[in-house]
Each structure stands twice: as C-alpha cells, then as structure tokens.
Amino acid sequence: MKKCKVLLLAAAMGVLMTACGDTKEPEDRDSVSMEDRTPGSTSEEETRESSQEESIEPEDLPASAEYVSVDGVYKVVLFEGMTQEDMQLQAGSTMMNLDAGTARTGFTAVSLGSSKAAVPGYTGSMDSLEDYADHITNMLLDGTGLTVSWEETDAPLAAGAVNSIARAGVAKSGMSRGQAYGYYAESEDCYFSLIIIGNDDDVEEARQIAVLEVLGGLGERGTGDFINGMTAVLDSVNGANLRETYKTMVDLGADESQLEMLASQARQSLSDSWGIENTEDLLKMADELIRGLHNPDALALLNEYNGTGETDRDAFEAGLKEQNLEEETCISLLAAYDAWSAYGDGAIAAWDLSRVGTIMGFGYAGGYCTYEEAMDKMLEAALKAQELFDSWEDFNKSYLYGYSYWAEESLEDAGSSAAERAQLVSSMESQAGGPFATNWNMELKKEW
C-alpha cells in the first residue's frame, strides 16, 4: 500500500487544481467490483457476525493514543506512537497525517475536518454527509494508483456529531491488495473524516480502536488564521487556499514537474486577471490594493453623482433613475453609497484588502516571491483591515459591497453571484468553528 504522504499529496493536488478552476464532480465510489475481493478475505457481513460471536477483551486491543487536530476542533484515537503532521489548506479546513513508520509498513491514516462552507477541493456547500464522503475519498485516492471497492458498514455515532456513516472494502494498488476503511461524521457546522488503508491485519486492528470525536472547541488561533479569514470567501469559492496548498505540496516533497505545472497555472492567472508578469508587478499591485485600488474609484464615482452629499438612500436612488443610467451603473453606485454610509472613507476597502492574499498566494506559487514574503505583505493588509474595521462583520459587509460594486450585481438579486457570496458569508459567520471565529482584535504579529 502507498505511504500516507502520497494520499496527502494527491489531496493537495486535487484542491489546487480546483483553485485554478478545474471543478470535478464526485465519482462513483464503487471503483472496483466486489468480485475482485482479496482471496480468503471475509465479507463485511461475515466480519460483523464474527465480531458478534466473539467479543474482544480490552487487554487484547492494540495500544492506542489520542491525536488532536491543530485547530482543536476534533481528535482521532488510533495506534500509539504514530507521528502526527498537520496541515491547513484554507480557513476552517485542516488535514492530519498519522504515520506509523516502520512499525506498520504501508499503513495509511489521514483525517480531515472542515466547516461545511469550506470543504477542501469543493466549490460551494455539500448537500449531505454521503456527498462529502464521496468527494473526500475520491480526492484522497485520485492520482495515488489506489482503487477501493467500498461498501456501507456499521457506523457508531461519533461523540459530538449529529450523523455518522462508514464504508469499508478492498484496496488495490497494482498487484498489492489490502483493506480500506472510511469513517465520516458531521456536526451542525462541520464535516469530518478518517481514511485508513493498509494490509488486512493492520486495518482490522485499527478498526478495533479507531475513534473520531468532535471536540467543538478551538485551539489557539494566530495571525495566520486571521489572514486566512480575510481570503476565506474566495478560498471557498475556489475550493482551496492556494498559498497554503502549494506550501503543503512543497513540504510533502512534490516532484518538480508537479510544482512547475501548478506554478505555470498561477503565473497565467496573474497575467490574465491582473496583468502581473514579474515580482515588481506583484508587489506594486499588492501595495496599490493596501492603499486602495477600487475603493478610491468608488468614492470618486459616488462624489461625481453627489452621493456623499445625499443622506437619504431612497432619494439618491430616485435621482439615479431620473438620469436614465444603465442598471449596472446604478447597482455600482448604490453599493458604493451603502459602503460609504456604513464605513465612510473605508467604504469597500475590504474588497481590496482581501485580494492582497489572493495575488500574493498566486505570486508565491508562481515563483515571484517566497512564502515568507507573501505572508509579510498579507500581514500589512491585515493590520490595515484592523485600522479600518471593528469586526469580521464589518469587514465582510465592506467586502460584499465591494464585490457588488465591482461585479455590478445587486446583493438583493437572489440569482446573482453577489447574493451567492452573501449567503456564503452568512453561513461562515454562523459557524462556531468557522473562519471568522478568530478574534478580530487579536494582536497581529509575524509568526512565520
């Protein structure tokens, strides 16, 4: 069976490709016929019957240990002595690698937890826990050479969860065969998963002790979490935080061809969307966004139509209609008016500041800056955000006004992408462990 890092690398590749615009629907989970079951292996029904006939005494169980996710939201119980490696692919989404080393060669355990609005590698919100299980399993296996024939199996409800499901089956990689087990749970706000692949004995022992528990709390959140919160909406739309995903690939040892392919995509995106062709262009654009790129334009347009001199929104809107302006222009002006009324000269500054993280993340992946340089510039944007706004709620409203102004789409139009983003923000804000649970007034400092 493949090593755990291969699964993690495949997951990183999957979310990064989504971040570059390649959205994939979940595939059929029965990727291999059950007729290909390992000779001599038992079916799920036979295994359940056997377990009912012969109970396992505690002293016969393998030694176990608890492993808590880096954000403190969930924990996994598995074999004692495993090495834990944590990664954060985007705000509200963490991945845990548990490596048994030479003690259990080929044994793979990967666990993920994410808010329902920030599932790695997926754009939008999942409809069900079953859809989540399909997506995560396919994302982890894609590109590894592993195929698994899944069947539903018993799933005790995880502590702190409202729903749980489990699947088990035969895992194949070339001429090698083993077992696979997937456990999936959801709370009101989050999805969780634990995927185990290895030889028959190791997986069977792991299933005897494996536990996934929703803790519901939050670990200590730092400046990096605050920065990720600033890009959380677009990261969710794209399916991943490109900066953290690319760094994960580097840390996991992706080969140069994989990294260069993604670097090329990042450079192309910067060129097509921003006209950025090199390091100088990147840093110049980042500085313009921090000072205000679209925000000054919005205020200037509002002044042109005497928006800052009108204190009654209905009167301002009526005046715009009398001038027979195009609908898109009216939408932009009303968004600018609402933003100015709420935040004065800060208006839609959050729209500019949030995208510093976007271009610096692509710049890092594209080779125009280092990870540290990207984070340093984003820290500048975060400090500016704290100066202009008093809370995540204010920052997000300014962001949405800015999107409405830029896209010329009304937040009140239920069929618009602006309304979709507003709904996404509302969902994220309501989640206890979501990207906006980080203290807005925390002291921001360099931690990288």
Side-chain angles (χ1 to χ4, degrees):
M1 291 294 105
K2 298 285 187 178
K3 283 291 188 180
C4 216
K5 284 190 177 182
V6 177
L7 288 185
L8 289 172
L9 182 55
M13 283 285 289
V15 295
L16 187 50
M17 293 303 289
T18 303
C20 294
D22 181 18
T23 304
K24 297 198 301 181
E25 294 296 326
E27 302 171 0
D28 183 356
R29 63 174 176 265
D30 294 322
S31 56
V32 181
S33 169
M34 287 308 293
E35 295 177 354
D36 292 327
R37 183 179 299 280
T38 306
S41 65
T42 58
S43 68
E44 286 301 313
E45 183 177 356
E46 292 168 339
T47 299
R48 288 195 295 271
E49 291 175 353
S50 174
S51 65
Q52 292 170 356
E53 293 172 0
E54 182 179 356
S55 62
I56 301 173
E57 297 297 329
E59 58 267 23
D60 295 330
L61 295 175
S64 62
E66 296 181 352
Y67 303 92
V68 179
S69 63
V70 67
D71 56 2
V73 174
Y74 70 100
K75 74 176 179 182
V76 168
V77 175
L78 213 54
F79 296 126
E80 185 178 66
M82 301 188 77
T83 300
Q84 178 178 347
E85 183 178 21
D86 293 282
M87 284 139 282
Q88 184 168 21
L89 295 178
Q90 63 193 82
S93 177
T94 61
M95 184 182 297
M96 183 194 304
N97 164 29
L98 295 173
D99 188 357
T102 58
R104 296 177 184 271
T105 303
F107 180 80
T108 294
V110 179
S111 186
L112 296 95
S114 65
S115 65
K116 290 184 175 179
V119 176
Y122 192 87
T123 301
S125 299
M126 289 285 175
D127 293 330
S128 67
L129 181 60
E130 287 75 14
D131 286 345
Y132 169 79
D134 289 344
H135 168 72
I136 289 297
T137 304
N138 286 319
M139 185 182 76
L140 287 173
L141 295 182
D142 187 28
T144 65
L146 285 168
T147 56
V148 179
S149 53
W150 296 105
E151 284 189 341
E152 303 294 329
T153 188
D154 292 339
L157 184 64
V162 297
N163 188 23
S164 300
I165 61 174
R167 297 167 179 172
V170 176
K172 295 173 59 178
S173 177
M175 299 300 292
S176 300
R177 296 190 181 199
Q179 288 192 34
Y181 176 71
Y183 181 85
Y184 315 88
E186 65 176 312
S187 64
E188 294 294 338
D189 299 323
C190 300
Y191 286 123
F192 305 91
S193 57
L194 173 62
I195 313 295
I196 297 171
I197 297 176
N199 64 50
D200 291 356
D201 291 342
D202 285 343
V203 173
E204 288 175 2
E205 286 192 344
R207 289 183 61 177
Q208 294 173 17
I209 60 172
V211 174
L212 192 155
E213 179 179 344
V214 180
L215 301 178
L218 291 175
E220 183 178 354
R221 292 199 169 188
T223 301
D225 297 295
F226 188 100
I227 287 172
N228 287 340
M230 292 177 63
T231 61
V233 177
L234 184 57
D235 289 343
S236 181
V237 171
N238 286 341
N241 180 307
L242 177 58
R243 181 191 71 255
E244 293 303 323
T245 301
Y246 190 83
K247 185 176 186 299
T248 295
M249 292 183 64
V250 172
D251 292 344
L252 292 178
D255 63 50
E256 290 300 321
S257 62
Q258 292 173 321
L259 293 174
E260 178 51 36
M261 176 186 68
L262 297 169
S264 177
Q265 291 179 348
R267 289 191 293 268
Q268 190 65 49
S269 294
L270 287 173
S271 178
D272 292 345
S273 300
W274 294 88
I276 293 173
E277 305 290 347
N278 50 47
T279 299
E280 182 180 358
D281 291 345
L282 175 69
L283 297 179
K284 180 180 178 181
M285 182 61 70
D287 287 339
E288 287 185 13
L289 286 168
I290 292 173
R291 289 193 301 268
L293 183 61
H294 288 93
N295 188 52
D297 291 343
L299 292 174
L301 183 65
L302 194 60
N303 277 323
E304 181 180 340
Y305 287 88
N306 197 34
T308 56
E310 179 58 71
T311 58
D312 184 277
R313 188 185 192 278
D314 291 339
F316 178 59
E317 184 175 7
L320 295 178
K321 291 180 179 179
E322 290 176 359
Q323 299 179 60
N324 295 319
L325 299 175
E326 293 184 357
E327 182 180 3
E328 291 79 5
T329 301
C330 290
I331 290 173
S332 288
L333 281 165
L334 287 171
Y337 179 89
D338 290 338
W340 170 77
S341 297
Y343 307 114
D345 289 343
I348 64 168
W351 170 244
D352 288 335
L353 293 171
S354 70
R355 294 187 298 160
V356 175
T358 299
I359 67 168
M360 293 307 297
F362 274 77
Y364 161 60
Y368 294 152
C369 66
T370 65
Y371 179 82
E372 181 179 11
E373 289 168 338
M375 293 296 288
D376 286 348
K377 187 59 66 175
M378 290 157 61
L379 176 56
E380 290 183 40
L383 290 168
K384 183 71 172 180
Q386 281 188 329
E387 290 178 15
L388 294 174
F389 304 102
D390 295 329
S391 65
W392 281 113
E393 181 181 5
D394 289 338
F395 180 85
N396 290 332
K397 285 183 178 178
S398 172
Y399 169 89
L400 290 172
Y401 288 140
Y403 184 83
S404 176
Y405 167 83
W406 174 79
E408 299 181 327
E409 294 182 358
S410 173
L411 295 168
E412 305 303 319
D413 179 2
S416 70
S417 60
E420 290 178 358
R421 293 208 181 192
Q423 180 57 45
L424 185 57
V425 167
S426 177
S427 176
M428 288 181 169
E429 288 181 336
S430 69
Q431 295 169 357
F436 306 128
T438 305
N439 179 10
W440 177 265
N441 296 311
M442 69 177 295
E443 180 185 358
L444 298 176
K445 55 187 177 182
K446 184 167 180 173
E447 299 172 344
W448 44 85

